[in-house]
Amino acid sequence: MHILLRKAIKEKFGKLNSLQVEAFRVIAGERKSALIVAPTGSGKTEAAILPIFEVIIRENLPPISALYIAPLKALNRDLLERIKWWGERLGVSVEVRHGDTPQSRKAKQVKNPPHILIITPETLPILLTMKSLRQFLKNIKFVVVDEVVELVENKRGVQLALNLERLSLIADFIRIGLSATVGNEEEIREWLKAEVIIKPKVKKRYKFHVLYPKVEEEDVKLSEQLKVPPEVAARLRALWSVVEKHKRALIFVNTRQFAEVLSHRLKVWGKPVEVHHGSLSREARIEAEKKLKEGKIKALVCTSSMELGIDIGDVDVVVQYMSPRQVNRLVQRAGRSKHRLNETSEAYIIAVTPEDYLQSLVIAKRALEGKLEPVKPYKNALDVLAHFIVGLVIEYGEVDIHEPYTIARRAYPYRDLSWEDYLSVVSVLEEARIIRRENNVIKLRRGAYRYYFENLSTIPDEVNYTVIDAVSGKFIGRLDENFVMDLEEGMEFIMHGRSWLVLEIDETDRLIKVRESSNVEGAIPSWEGELIPVPYEVAVEVGRLKRFLVYDLSKARKLVEGVDFDFRDLEIVRNEIMELYSTDRDIVIEVVSKATIIHADFGNRVNEALAKLIWTLLSSKYGNIFSIRSYAHAIVIRSPFTLNPKDIEEILQIGPNIEGIIIRGMKFGPVYRWKMLNVAKRIGAIARDSKIKRIERLFEGTVIEAEAINEILQEKVDIKNASLVLSKIRNGEIRVKSAMREKLSKTAQQYVQFVGEFLLTFPLTEEEIEDMFYRSLLEKDIVMVCTNCGWYWKTKVGRIINRRDLRCPKCDSIMLAPLHPIDAEAFIKALGKIKRGERIDKELERAYLRGIKASDLFISYGKDALLALATYGVGVEGASRVLGNVPRSQLIRELMKLEKNYIKTRKFWD
């Protein structure tokens, strides 16, 4: 080992741990590719990076010597600080590069590249096409892929696997993967093309407590103070009593919306917490992390954004509010507390329903036994393949038609790619005028560059709809486009603690008008799409636990041995489910009037497959008159008449070939249209901003349809285990029972009536509504245009609102105009013509003046101008008036009024 590295290790942590010693031997000594599998806090980052530093300084490697690829920008920020510490002591340069890196910094990296470059997966396809960096990419000897499990099962990982094959054409490098513990590490090793797996010799220890809080006298008073039911107050009390006993806590929840709800309630109670999730601005997340690290707050309420290794200091407890839904999630989250390998990580799970409680017990037990879920690699993504083909042609000018196919098949996700599928992708690119074929040689067309750089990310663009209360004109919140595709006028959904009836959906302005509804039965929860799917194995084990619970309490207790829980809670849950329950061997069909609930313990993806099967066959018999939703432990059908359970029993006796029927059912759903729209954009068949109502008809029978189906089959349904369930029904291993009832069982109520955690008992205060409106403004898209040189970039208000001394990345000017994307387009056109000395018409002249005025407002009023210009319907003139006349303390209230007035009168302006 080099003396400088030895000194730095001694300064940092005395000596290497056994994992780091083994990694050093394999990577620096034997020069083998490796997958390092270890829990959070094992020192994985140093295990990967220290051997690289050793080789760089020992062999005096030229830059760029190593790429460090991390899936999150937040991780990049954290990694830069950690890796730079080593670099400064060893004389090795370290830089970070992603979408938010200033242009001036990127230019310096080209002139003077670092030895180690930290990037996101989306940065690699840009680097591969940069002629100025190509000579340095040839020097790469190491590629580290951090949090590899976060990439394997999605299209980001597929794209990375292909781009690593592109990189291997010009550089000879060792691959190093970092992964949390996972159920199929051998398959992950193959995916990465690593030669060996390196694991710690010491097994990480965990302690899990599962709580089922009961209402006490003090909770009634707290419930009035926090505007929640007493049961919720009891859970909040239990939560805070855990936090209070510890120095620093992470409170994990399963959705962003509930993170907001929970943190808000704790703040109203006067508790020192902040919220942390992916939809918040970078600045807000950094500020929250800093407050926790410095001890200014006791806890962070967070989602999966805090699962990965972001440095927030030593956390000594993790609280999971509601079931973590997967073993992998619990282990990853619990691992954030007392995260060093020799410490025992501790986590409390606060359960809210009997099902939630039993699921939490099962998951905690499986975590103690090391029964982690396998991560299923995504295969044969044809839209990602299209982007790869175009990238290769941009890189090399022209390529033989066989070349992309041969290279793609070297990547794990495309091992089974057929020549026919490959040619069909080439044909789509030809039809879209992105490439052309001449005598088996693929060449570029004019649209290639635009297509390639517009589709660097496989993550669909987040398109949001504004939700407005038509009665009061108040802003309610925002909904994602993929959720809105499931809505129709007259339907109800739950958002921010209330049920809302959809009155009007305006596609052009992306606006939904609603009025409050007292009906919570059948309302769709707007957070549903975010929920982590419960795996088949976990759900079946919950069914088994229920069976033991009913017939043999001692067996039930033994099944979850090792988990800390109060046995009296188990008895309470037993009494609560006795009325009606399913098990691993029993499906129960409960019919109450026009609602049918199929209680089935098979997890989200199996139940979704069964739901599609049942809906398709019922619809073919009675017509398209049913609505159906699946959950981890139930399927809910709504019909215009009382269903005969025998209809469903007959469907569940169907033979094994169900895939075709399920695909037929998929095509009627909004998810299918949403997936097809995004596949068509990624493959280059339609423009990024296209809005096509009947997209499924446009691409029927094409490779685009095939990939949309492929995406749903891989992400949403589990046909293999659904087929297994049906075969067990046919051979009598699983019984199907029916119950016609007057009213819903307690177990069924949770699926048709959303109570407790998600509904408010009192109206929102003005302050709460203003806070929600302010947060919505931070999520708005805005284009920053330099009025000096014409450079522009699209961002969100929240990303720049707290940036001091914001300047043009190209010319360093402060003359920036924040504009709505449509206004920006006209202003950029006008600005370009003026700079070229061309005449402009009246319309462009108005657009130019609006842009200049927006720039003046931004210089004069800063963040207030950003908020005003981002408000729906305000415009530059309106912003100028409100900023000049309204005190800052009343700005948000006034902007809400202006937006409300515009919505009411918009039809007269159009």
Side-chain angles (χ1 to χ4, degrees), residues 195-211:
E195 295 163 86
V196 293
I197 295 172
I198 301 170
K199 295 197 288 189
K201 291 180 173 64
V202 183
K203 197 181 174 189
K204 177 73 178 167
R205 295 187 305 275
Y206 298 93
K207 188 170 185 184
F208 299 116
H209 313 264
V210 179
L211 310 180

Side-chain angles (χ1 to χ4, degrees), residues 161-220:
L162 284 175
N163 287 325
L164 287 176
E165 293 306 321
R166 281 171 67 185
L167 182 62
S168 70
L169 298 175
I170 57 169
D172 182 19
F173 56 88
I174 283 171
R175 300 175 186 223
I176 304 162
L178 305 185
S179 169
T181 39
V182 67
N184 57 332
E185 57 193 36
E186 191 55 42
E187 189 172 20
I188 306 299
R189 180 194 66 75
E190 280 186 60
W191 185 93
L192 184 69
K193 290 184 149 182
E195 295 163 86
V196 293
I197 295 172
I198 301 170
K199 295 197 288 189
K201 291 180 173 64
V202 183
K203 197 181 174 189
K204 177 73 178 167
R205 295 187 305 275
Y206 298 93
K207 188 170 185 184
F208 299 116
H209 313 264
V210 179
L211 310 180
Y212 194 52
K214 274 82 62 192
V215 176
E216 293 177 10
E217 207 174 306
E218 62 192 286
D219 299 324
V220 178

Side-chain angles (χ1 to χ4, degrees), residues 64-83:
I64 301 169
S65 319
L67 284 182
Y68 195 113
I69 303 169
L72 292 179
K73 288 179 192 173
L75 267 181
N76 285 349
R77 164 169 50 85
D78 211 51
L79 283 164
L80 182 63
E81 290 171 22
R82 283 172 74 179
I83 298 174

